């Protein structure tokens, strides 16, 4: 059993920054990857992959919409994964949820849509409680 506890989030003006945290506890040896997903407001409950990190070698993946603005990182000593979000836009608004899994492929398991790698929530087994991020002036 792995538990994920999130913190951070809130309301920020466009151009602002926020940092989200995802702390893992329990049988953390069962986890080698963490992903962040965004669930948009006013839409069907679909989670969009935003960023992912393979904990064993720090390799990362980002959605095109957040590249250059978001940074995913880990603190091994604290069993915590962070998502630093800079230059936030109104389109970044949503509920952010972290998720964890153990991939046997030697890295993040990415799917491809029209040649673009994406991180799907279907592959992840453990989930945090979600935190609201609102970007509004």
């Amino acid at each position: 059993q792995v538990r994920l506890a999130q913190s951070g989030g809130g309301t920020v003006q466009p151009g602002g920054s926020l940092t989200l945290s995802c702390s893992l506890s329990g049988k953390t040896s069962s986890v080698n990857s963490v992903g962040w997903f965004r669930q948009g407001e006013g839409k069907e409950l679909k989670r969009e992959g935003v960023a992912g990190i393979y904990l064993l070698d720090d390799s990362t993946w980002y959605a095109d919409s957040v590249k250059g603005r978001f940074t995913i990182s880990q603190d091994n000593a604290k069993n915590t994964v962070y998502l630093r979000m800079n230059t936030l836009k109104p389109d970044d608004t949503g509920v952010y949820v972290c998720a964890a899994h153990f991939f046997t492929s030697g890295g993040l398991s990415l799917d491809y849509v029209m040649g673009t790698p994406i991180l799907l929530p279907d592959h992840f087994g453990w989930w945090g409680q979600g935190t609201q991020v609102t970007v509004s002036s």
Side-chain angles (χ1 to χ4, degrees):
Q1 181 73 13
V2 178
R3 292 175 294 278
L4 285 71
Q6 296 182 222
S7 61
T11 299
V12 65
Q13 291 186 341
S17 298
L18 284 173
T19 299
L20 307 181
S21 301
C22 178
S23 296
L24 283 70
S25 62
K27 196 176 179 184
T28 56
S29 59
S30 300
V31 171
N32 63 14
S33 301
V34 172
W36 283 97
F37 296 85
R38 177 170 62 209
Q39 188 170 298
E41 296 181 333
K43 303 175 185 176
E44 61 183 37
L45 299 180
K46 178 181 177 181
R47 288 173 174 167
E48 169 196 9
V50 172
I53 184 168
Y54 187 63
L55 301 177
L56 300 186
D57 63 10
D58 274 338
S59 58
T60 58
W61 166 88
Y62 297 94
D64 287 346
S65 60
V66 307
K67 277 181 184 175
R69 301 188 297 122
F70 289 15
T71 302
I72 188 170
S73 62
Q74 64 169 320
D75 184 330
N76 287 331
K78 297 181 179 180
N79 281 331
T80 300
V81 172
Y82 302 96
L83 184 67
R84 175 65 177 178
M85 306 182 292
N86 294 326
T87 320
L88 282 161
K89 305 174 181 180
D91 283 350
D92 295 319
T93 294
V95 175
Y96 284 71
V97 192
C98 64
H101 195 66
F102 187 96
F103 290 114
T104 59
S105 56
L108 285 171
S109 181
L110 300 174
D111 293 87
Y112 288 81
V113 176
M114 299 184 68
T116 299
I118 60 173
L119 193 64
L120 289 178
D122 313 52
H123 301 304
F124 288 80
W126 295 288
W127 290 85
Q129 79 274 23
T131 186
Q132 177 70 42
V133 170
T134 301
V135 185
S136 174
S137 55

